[in-house]
Amino acid sequence: MSIDWSAFTPYSALAGGALIGLAAALLALLNGRIAGIAGIIGGALNPKSGEVGWRLAFILGLLLAPAAWLLVSSLPEVRIDASYPMLILAGLVVGISTRYGAGCTSGHGVCGISRLSPRSIIATVAFMATGFLTVFVIRHLIGS
Amino acid sequence: MSRSMLTAFLAGLVFGVGLILSGMVNPAKVLAFLDLAGPWDPSLALVMGGAIAVALPAFLFLNRRTQTVFAEPLHLPTRQDIDARLILGSLGFGVGWGLAGFCPGPALVAVGALKTEALVFVIAMLGGMGIFELIERRSKVSKKA
């Protein structure tokens, strides 16, 4: 393993992470809800009365975050190398499996670990492992 | 707009700004973190560390309560069991994450940044969630029959 120190951005990573944690804390303290994005979207697709409004409001906040950012500064680079067929495959897999496994990076990785939930700790270990493995297969086994 | 919608909107906005600042919205950076065998960028481990450092005290505080600060009911998960669905679903999510470098939150923020690729990913993701709902309903019907 070699660390790419030129790409390492510890301060913005920590500060951005702290804001994500703050948002998760706000949603839990003020709404009594878990800031799990896959769960919030999934619940909005499967509506029960009184359940949809806050979900759509949270999603709207996410969608408007770049606009809010642009009031202060230009947006950092967003580089997407995946082809359209790959993006469609990735989206389908993420959509099905986050609902099946009841969470994603935010619900299990941030909120669940912060709640010291054994389910979320195991889920996070599982998706990190296959995330690492998938990139290894694509970049170093197929790509080389 | 009700109070619960306003607070959820603010939480979503802060969450999204945090994702932009952290670098999570950039799939190239996410894949550089997931590529342990390449020139590795460890930044995203600090994103999770920073998030947990702030969220953990809030959840510890809520552990002793049964209500939100507005005295409304909490809707926090209570399950403790480790089942096959949790593990298989999470393993599958990691594969999908590694394929393009997008997970659900950052993909929505990238849609807000008007990235066409992110919109394609999100539409496919919504389709995947819809497929999950159909499978669930069908299996419930067959169990009843």
Side-chain angles (χ1 to χ4, degrees), chain A residues 2 4 31-32 79 119 130 140, chain B residues 7 26 35 40 75 81 91:
Chain A
S2 63
D4 183 0
N31 287 55
R79 209 182 88 212
R119 278 174 61 84
T130 47
H140 301 285
Chain B
T7 51
N26 183 5
D35 188 5
W40 189 48
H75 304 270
D81 60 306
L91 289 171

Side-chain angles (χ1 to χ4, degrees), chain A residues 82-91 138, chain B residues 96 99-100 121:
Chain A
S83 64
Y84 281 106
M86 185 65 103
L87 286 162
I88 291 170
L89 177 66
I138 290 177
Chain B
L99 286 176
F121 174 91

Side-chain angles (χ1 to χ4, degrees), chain B residues 64-112:
Chain B
R64 299 154 181 246
R65 299 173 59 104
T66 54
Q67 294 179 320
T68 70
V69 295
F70 295 125
E72 284 169 345
L74 293 176
H75 304 270
L76 303 181
T78 51
R79 285 182 64 177
Q80 297 284 332
D81 60 306
I82 313 291
D83 60 343
R85 291 172 66 108
L86 175 78
I87 293 174
L88 290 174
S90 299
L91 289 171
F93 166 52
V95 172
W97 190 31
L99 286 176
F102 270 135
C103 52
L108 284 177
V109 176
V111 168

Side-chain angles (χ1 to χ4, degrees), chain A residues 28-126:
Chain A
L29 293 168
L30 304 179
N31 287 55
R33 297 285 178 173
I34 291 290
I37 314 300
I40 290 175
I41 302 171
L45 291 177
N46 190 5
K48 297 181 193 119
S49 60
E51 289 278 298
V52 178
W54 74 270
R55 293 173 189 273
L56 293 179
F58 184 91
I59 292 167
L60 186 67
L62 282 178
L63 291 170
L64 290 181
W69 182 283
L70 280 170
L71 296 176
V72 181
S73 174
S74 60
L75 282 171
E77 182 192 31
V78 178
R79 209 182 88 212
I80 305 159
D81 294 327
S83 64
Y84 281 106
M86 185 65 103
L87 286 162
I88 291 170
L89 177 66
L92 280 171
V93 172
V94 167
I96 295 173
S97 54
T98 51
R99 298 300 290 144
Y100 212 75
C104 59
T105 7
S106 49
H108 284 312
V110 174
C111 296
I113 290 184
S114 296
R115 292 170 46 245
L116 307 175
S117 153
R119 278 174 61 84
S120 290
I121 291 167
I122 288 191
T124 305
V125 170

Side-chain angles (χ1 to χ4, degrees), chain B residues 112-132:
Chain B
L114 308 180
K115 296 287 174 188
T116 313
E117 294 95 333
L119 184 63
V120 170
F121 174 91
V122 166
I123 290 170
M125 180 177 80
L126 294 174
M129 290 179 173
I131 291 170
F132 168 84

